[in-house]
């Protein structure tokens, strides 16, 4: 620090704080939102912490200063203990008997019919998924999704939906309490296999892209709201895991988790499962239209599944982007 200017000393102080926060974020999967809500909120900002620490590395390297080592060390630790933030390569193989599953939070279809462009329903049809899981479903005469089998669970006109080309032999709802969100499931018969498909929509954070005001009073309200939402997610996670453990067969868990891969809830749900993005994705995997990469929509499978492809489509028919995976066993 002796050879650093006053400005560089200040920059290194900021660097040290952000590197420490990134290091702390590696402990997030171990801490329930019920105990330390701040930790869970920190999970939303892990992508920003990673990018800022990368910028610090570049800054110190350009200045030929050994201070680059701090962020380099912290990020290197993350490569071994944390989920990847960016995937360079992807799997692109495909088999004719792959099960194609799409998950899509459609935001009540409110942007699906934009003038001058193809609509969101035509987009879904063009991708032709075998199974389509929709969150924030809205019942309307304008909405026509043609599948031979379906399970729709609504509260009023809003709800969740699973559409399938294959016969649904059993279905149900977990009926999450004190929320408009929900988790539903359908047992799909494909050839001689029964595959359980969960469609999840955990407690919403109610973050509106480009509309948040992070002033002092609003930040306090935001903190309180997020803390409450994360605590509800912890309760909902326990409800889901209790239900899921009774199914020992092939399974797919899809939907909008409203939380990142650095969170406690993701860690609990993804245990002994494969994440389609990690197995076969590419890039940031950004699924929510926000000013930094947020991956909060997922397709998970049991460990025996083979994930041949995973894609995030950058189609702006909602505040979420649709995701699709090709799965086999």
């Amino acid at each position: 620090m002796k050879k650093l200017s006053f400005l560089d000393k200040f920059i290194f102080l900021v660097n040290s704080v952000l590197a420490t926060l990134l290091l702390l974020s590696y402990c997030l999967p171990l801490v329930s939102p019920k105990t330390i809500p701040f930790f869970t909120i920190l999970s939303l900002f892990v992508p920003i912490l990673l990018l800022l620490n990368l910028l610090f590395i570049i800054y110190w390297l350009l200045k030929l200063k050994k201070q680059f080592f701090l962020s380099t060390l912290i990020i290197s630790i993350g490569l071994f203990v944390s989920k990847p933030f960016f995937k360079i390569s992807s799997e692109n193989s495909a088999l004719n008997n792959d099960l194609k599953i799409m998950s899509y939070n459609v935001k009540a279809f409110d942007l699906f019919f934009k003038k001058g462009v193809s609509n969101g329903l035509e987009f879904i049809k063009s991708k032709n998924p075998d199974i389509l899981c929709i969150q924030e479903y809205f019942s309307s005469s304008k909405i026509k999704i043609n599948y031979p089998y379906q399970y729709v669970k609504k509260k009023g006109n809003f709800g969740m939906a699973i559409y399938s080309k294959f016969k649904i032999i059993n279905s149900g709802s977990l009926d999450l309490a004190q929320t408009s969100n929900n988790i539903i499931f359908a047992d799909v018969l494909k050839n001689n296999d029964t595959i359980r498909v969960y469609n999840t929509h955990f407690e919403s954070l109610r973050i509106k892209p480009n509309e948040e005001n992070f002033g002092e009073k609003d930040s306090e309200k935001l903190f309180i709201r997020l803390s409450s939402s994360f605590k509800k997610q912890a309760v909902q996670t326990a409800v889901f895991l209790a239900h899921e453990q009774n199914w020992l067969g092939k399974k797919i868990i899809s939907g909008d988790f409203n939380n990142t891969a650095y969170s406690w809830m993701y860690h609990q749900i993804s245990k002994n499962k494969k994440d389609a993005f990690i197995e076969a994705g590419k890039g940031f995997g950004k699924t929510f239209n926000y000013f930094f990469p947020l991956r909060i929509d997922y397709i998970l499978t049991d460990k025996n599944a083979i994930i041949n492809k995973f894609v995030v489509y950058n189609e702006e028919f909602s505040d979420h982007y649709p995701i699709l995976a090709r799965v086999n066993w």
Side-chain angles (χ1 to χ4, degrees), residues 175-227:
D175 294 328
L176 299 178
Q178 298 179 331
T179 181
S180 59
N181 297 58
N182 200 9
I183 300 171
I184 63 174
F185 69 92
D187 294 339
V188 174
L189 186 63
K190 183 177 186 290
N191 299 326
N192 294 321
D193 291 329
T194 302
I195 304 162
R196 171 155 292 184
V197 178
Y198 282 100
N199 183 10
T200 68
H201 189 201
F202 289 92
E203 188 66 24
S204 299
L205 305 182
R206 298 185 296 281
I207 295 177
K208 297 180 181 179
N210 307 316
E211 294 181 17
E212 290 292 350
N213 183 344
F214 288 94
E216 183 177 347
K217 292 182 180 179
D218 292 294
S219 295
E220 183 178 352
K221 290 180 181 178
L222 181 65
F223 179 87
I224 293 171
R225 190 177 79 226
L226 290 176
S227 296

Side-chain angles (χ1 to χ4, degrees), residues 127-178:
K127 299 308 171 187
N128 194 30
D130 298 316
I131 296 176
L132 172 63
C133 294
I134 288 179
Q135 305 90 47
E136 295 194 26
Y137 173 89
F138 177 72
S139 180
S140 168
S141 59
K142 292 175 63 179
I143 308 302
K144 293 181 174 61
I145 301 176
N146 297 316
Y147 275 78
Y149 305 99
Q150 65 182 52
Y151 174 60
V152 178
K153 178 69 175 180
K154 295 184 292 182
K155 296 180 180 179
N157 288 326
F158 297 89
M160 309 273 288
I162 298 175
Y163 294 91
S164 175
K165 292 181 180 180
F166 303 104
K167 187 176 182 179
I168 294 176
I169 59 175
N170 181 40
S171 59
S173 170
L174 275 62
D175 294 328
L176 299 178
Q178 298 179 331

